[in-house]
Amino acid sequence: MEEEISKTENIVNNWIKAKLPVHTDVMGIEEARLTGATALFGEKYEDKVRVVTVGGEKPISKEFCAGTHVKNISQIRMTKIVSESAISAGSRRIEAACADAAFEYLNEKADILDNLAHKFKSQFDNKKSSILSGLNQQRDALLNEME
């Protein structure tokens, strides 16, 4: 699952780098459905809906309004997926932080990683594998004490 999340983030962030245009139209709900716009599962809509299309002649997304109010996708700056869950068989819901919220999220994660790396500094060089190794060693020691 981590690989799929990373792949999805890369796709979205590449779209952001491509500076794709965002176009909006207001139309009747049936007309919107006929254009191929996707409605969010479980959402209730008025008779008139705002349809957001991302990309030019070959859009990457065409959806009923979900709160996207940018003129160009580059205004989002960056996307970081923060959670994912199953919403139905074969469908996943992802939640992401964008722009400043994404940077804040990553900075918080980096602070946690730096604190852990500092704690295990005398034992390890490579942050990710060494921190996990250190945590596994502590877990194993605790399990041995409990036996």
Side-chain angles (χ1 to χ4, degrees):
M1 188 56 67
E2 283 183 37
E3 186 177 316
E4 289 179 21
I5 289 172
S6 179
K7 187 176 174 181
T8 302
E9 284 177 350
N10 287 335
I11 290 168
V12 173
N13 284 315
N14 283 329
W15 289 336
I16 292 169
K17 283 186 226 171
K19 300 180 179 179
L20 300 173
V22 175
H23 179 76
T24 59
D25 288 302
V26 176
M27 61 186 75
I29 195 164
E30 286 307 315
E31 181 184 357
R33 284 192 174 109
L34 290 172
T35 69
T38 305
L40 294 175
F41 178 76
E43 292 291 322
K44 295 186 191 307
Y45 297 98
E46 302 292 323
D47 291 337
K48 293 271 187 187
V49 295
R50 185 171 169 264
V51 176
V52 179
T53 305
V54 179
E57 293 178 23
K58 295 183 180 179
I60 59 164
S61 175
K62 187 172 198 168
E63 301 179 20
F64 287 30
C65 181
T68 305
H69 296 272
V70 296
K71 295 197 184 306
N72 187 291
I73 198 170
S74 67
Q75 292 174 297
I76 295 171
R77 294 178 46 218
M78 175 186 179
T79 295
K80 177 65 181 156
I81 295 174
V82 297
S83 69
E84 62 85 25
S85 59
I87 56 171
S88 65
S91 296
R92 310 292 295 173
R93 177 184 202 106
I94 60 171
E95 294 182 25
C98 299
D100 291 345
F103 287 103
E104 289 169 16
Y105 176 85
L106 290 173
N107 285 335
E108 288 172 13
K109 295 293 183 188
D111 287 345
I112 291 167
L113 183 61
D114 287 343
N115 287 333
L116 289 170
H118 180 73
K119 179 175 181 170
F120 297 110
K121 185 178 179 181
S122 61
Q123 298 174 326
F124 310 107
D125 295 334
N126 180 312
K127 286 183 181 180
K128 183 177 178 180
S129 64
S130 58
I131 290 170
L132 290 174
S133 176
L135 291 172
N136 286 334
Q137 286 175 4
Q138 284 190 345
R139 181 200 66 214
D140 292 345
L142 287 170
L143 288 173
N144 286 335
E145 285 179 26
M146 291 172 58
E147 290 177 351

